[in-house]
Amino acid sequence: PAWTKKPSDLTTEDYQNFYKELYPYNEAPLFWIHLNVDYPFNLTGILYFPKIKQSYEIQKDKIQLYSNQVFVTDEVKDIVPEFLMLLQGVIDSPDIPLNVSRSYLQGDPNVKKINNHITKKVADKLEEIFKNDRTAFEEKWESLGLFVKYGMMTDDKFMEKANKFLILQNTEGKFLTIEDYKLNSEERRVGKE
């Protein structure tokens, strides 16, 4: 399966075809994140950002959990941060305990590390798109904004990173970061003096 391969061995088409296999009736995803870690825990997988419609029904349980390519469950709460439960795709880790209670899962150190790693990878990917192609980022903001704002409200570490790429639309339809707003208001204030 695609998630077991190295990211460098996969093309954009490979990722899109894998998504179509998983979700044949969905629109193409906005982008994806390939997880590939072997230390301090094992984790592979591909997580997709779906295009979110305004009338989107919150569909959780769209991420499939595998252990060494054997399907385990699509109930990944605690493994994936709550604000990213709208993502779709596959994660595979032999380090997640499979037949234990939810309370044990919440306290498991590997589960916490995996959860933090996924949050960091998502934040890094969003920041990368924002820096490298701000126009594309702004075009996707209608769908992305939901993840970003919810993540900022529920996860302090994500909020620290997201402050760099949180954008707000002004009355003229232009997207600005908080930093842009501050600079603009300072320029206006200085201009009036």
Side-chain angles (χ1 to χ4, degrees):
W3 77 84
T4 62
K5 298 176 181 165
K6 289 184 189 146
S8 56
D9 294 342
L10 295 168
T11 64
T12 297
E13 193 179 354
D14 293 329
Y15 285 112
Q16 289 171 337
N17 288 340
F18 182 56
Y19 185 77
K20 278 185 203 150
E21 278 176 43
L22 293 172
Y23 313 103
Y25 304 108
N26 285 15
E27 257 185 90
L30 298 174
F31 58 88
W32 48 87
I33 295 163
H34 195 129
L35 305 164
N36 194 354
V37 187
D38 53 19
Y39 183 82
F41 49 82
N42 279 298
L43 174 69
T44 54
I46 303 170
L47 293 176
Y48 293 91
F49 273 75
K51 191 169 169 116
I52 297 177
K53 300 176 186 76
Q54 286 302 336
S55 61
Y56 193 77
E57 303 160 28
I58 301 299
Q59 291 181 309
K60 293 187 176 185
D61 306 333
K62 284 288 194 176
I63 298 174
Q64 300 170 13
L65 175 65
Y66 288 76
S67 178
N68 291 321
Q69 298 179 45
V70 176
F71 177 74
V72 177
T73 182
D74 54 12
E75 171 57 63
V76 294
K77 198 171 184 330
D78 302 320
I79 299 165
V80 174
E82 189 182 356
F83 75 96
L84 295 174
M85 292 298 279
L86 296 178
L87 295 183
Q88 299 174 333
V90 171
I91 51 178
D92 187 335
S93 177
D95 292 336
I96 295 171
L98 303 178
N99 50 2
V100 290
S101 69
R102 287 278 316 285
S103 57
Y104 179 83
L105 202 60
Q106 287 171 326
D108 185 271
N110 278 331
V111 169
K112 189 76 189 133
K113 285 180 200 158
I114 288 169
N115 183 304
N116 290 338
H117 179 76
I118 290 170
T119 301
K120 182 186 179 316
K121 289 290 282 188
V122 167
D124 290 348
K125 181 72 172 185
L126 290 169
E127 187 176 355
E128 176 192 319
I129 294 170
F130 177 74
K131 281 182 175 171
N132 297 339
D133 191 350
R134 185 160 170 173
T135 306
F137 189 85
E138 290 174 1
E139 287 166 2
K140 296 175 173 130
W141 184 250
E142 191 177 350
S143 291
L144 292 180
L146 185 64
F147 291 105
V148 173
K149 291 171 194 169
Y150 187 21
M152 290 177 82
M153 289 188 302
T154 58
D155 188 311
D156 292 342
K157 281 186 184 156
F158 183 79
M159 184 173 173
E160 283 172 33
K161 288 183 167 272
N163 277 326
K164 297 175 197 154
F165 53 77
L166 171 72
I167 53 177
L168 306 163
Q169 198 168 19
N170 69 11
T171 52
E172 295 152 14
K174 190 175 175 197
F175 286 100
L176 302 166
T177 63
I178 302 288
E179 206 51 46
D180 295 337
Y181 270 110
K182 285 180 188 171
L183 289 170
N184 283 358
S185 60
E186 297 232 343
E187 285 168 10
R188 280 200 205 109
R189 191 177 53 77
V190 170
K192 285 179 182 175
E193 287 174 0

